[in-house]
Amino acid sequence: MSLLSKLRCAFTLGQGVLIENKALTTTNDPIQFFNDWLKEAESTGVVLPESMSVSTCSPQGRPSSRMVLLKEVDQQGFVFFTNYGSRKAGELDANPFAALLFHWNILQRQVRIEGRIERVSHAESEAYFHSRGRGSQIGAWASKQSQVLDERQTLVDSVKYYEDKFSGQTVPLPDFWGGYRVIPEKIEFWQGKADRLHDRFTYTKSGQEWVINRLNP
């Protein structure tokens, strides 16, 4: 092992880098395996381990990425919430495919997910919306996400307007706000290893089954 590799292992306390990867023998369910990795990331003290990059593409083929928070994951897919008037929402509605990326540096791990997009039900969006803090609910109404803002005071004034409008009552779910679900078609797990001999393997959906392949680093 090179000196640089030893330093990398020391930086991560050996987490992930020196641990044998049993992914291909422990489960053929990538959602279960993802949840295991997410729990391990949480246990390391990573701040917001559920944060992920969401990449979309315009109808003209121009990509864009941004960080959002994963709010739910199950066999149906990976769910996040946003303003339906935002740039990402517009691109997802026009080109309903997305790529997600999780990166947990302390474990030297990343997970890449590619799949189709669908909006979650109104009931799901409403349930999550009302689980948020009131300030975030007001903020969803006040912000015209991704649109040009002349000055911050305009946003402050908008927040005050909706605070007054909904004073003493439950803040309703805006019709322009809700969730998207990424239905995975391919999930790649990447585990950093010494001397850049990284461990990579993919789960690719074929019908109702997952096909597992190991990749060169």
Side-chain angles (χ1 to χ4, degrees), residues 138-178:
I138 294 293
W141 277 96
S143 174
K144 296 178 174 60
Q145 194 174 100
S146 298
Q147 296 185 28
V148 174
L149 181 65
D150 56 352
E151 60 178 359
R152 185 167 182 81
Q153 188 60 43
T154 301
L155 179 61
V156 172
D157 292 344
S158 182
V159 168
K160 180 63 167 58
Y161 170 80
Y162 285 107
E163 286 177 338
D164 293 341
K165 180 175 181 177
F166 299 127
S167 178
Q169 60 180 290
T170 299
V171 180
L173 171 70
D175 58 8
F176 53 80
W177 196 96

Side-chain angles (χ1 to χ4, degrees), residues 82-94:
T82 189
N83 186 309
Y84 286 146
S86 65
R87 175 181 175 180
K88 61 180 170 295
E91 292 183 351
L92 289 172
D93 291 342

Side-chain angles (χ1 to χ4, degrees), residues 108-161:
Q108 290 290 288
R109 287 175 177 172
Q110 67 178 16
V111 182
R112 299 168 59 195
I113 299 151
E114 302 171 20
R116 296 181 293 109
I117 277 283
E118 66 178 18
R119 290 192 182 191
V120 304
S121 69
H122 182 274
E124 289 175 277
S125 291
E126 190 166 46
Y128 173 68
F129 183 78
H130 287 128
S131 75
R132 307 174 90 205
R134 188 176 180 86
S136 294
Q137 295 177 27
I138 294 293
W141 277 96
S143 174
K144 296 178 174 60
Q145 194 174 100
S146 298
Q147 296 185 28
V148 174
L149 181 65
D150 56 352
E151 60 178 359
R152 185 167 182 81
Q153 188 60 43
T154 301
L155 179 61
V156 172
D157 292 344
S158 182
V159 168
K160 180 63 167 58
Y161 170 80

Side-chain angles (χ1 to χ4, degrees), residues 51-59 61-70 78 80 82 86-103 110-118 180-183 186:
S51 61
M52 61 183 182
S53 170
V54 176
S55 296
T56 59
C57 201
S58 72
R62 291 182 175 271
S64 61
S65 301
R66 73 287 292 160
M67 300 300 293
V68 305
L69 296 180
L70 174 71
F78 297 76
F80 64 92
T82 189
S86 65
R87 175 181 175 180
K88 61 180 170 295
E91 292 183 351
L92 289 172
D93 291 342
N95 183 14
F97 296 91
L100 310 178
L101 173 63
F102 293 85
H103 178 223
Q110 67 178 16
V111 182
R112 299 168 59 195
I113 299 151
E114 302 171 20
R116 296 181 293 109
I117 277 283
E118 66 178 18
Y180 284 100
R181 176 177 288 104
V182 179
I183 304 168
K186 184 175 183 179

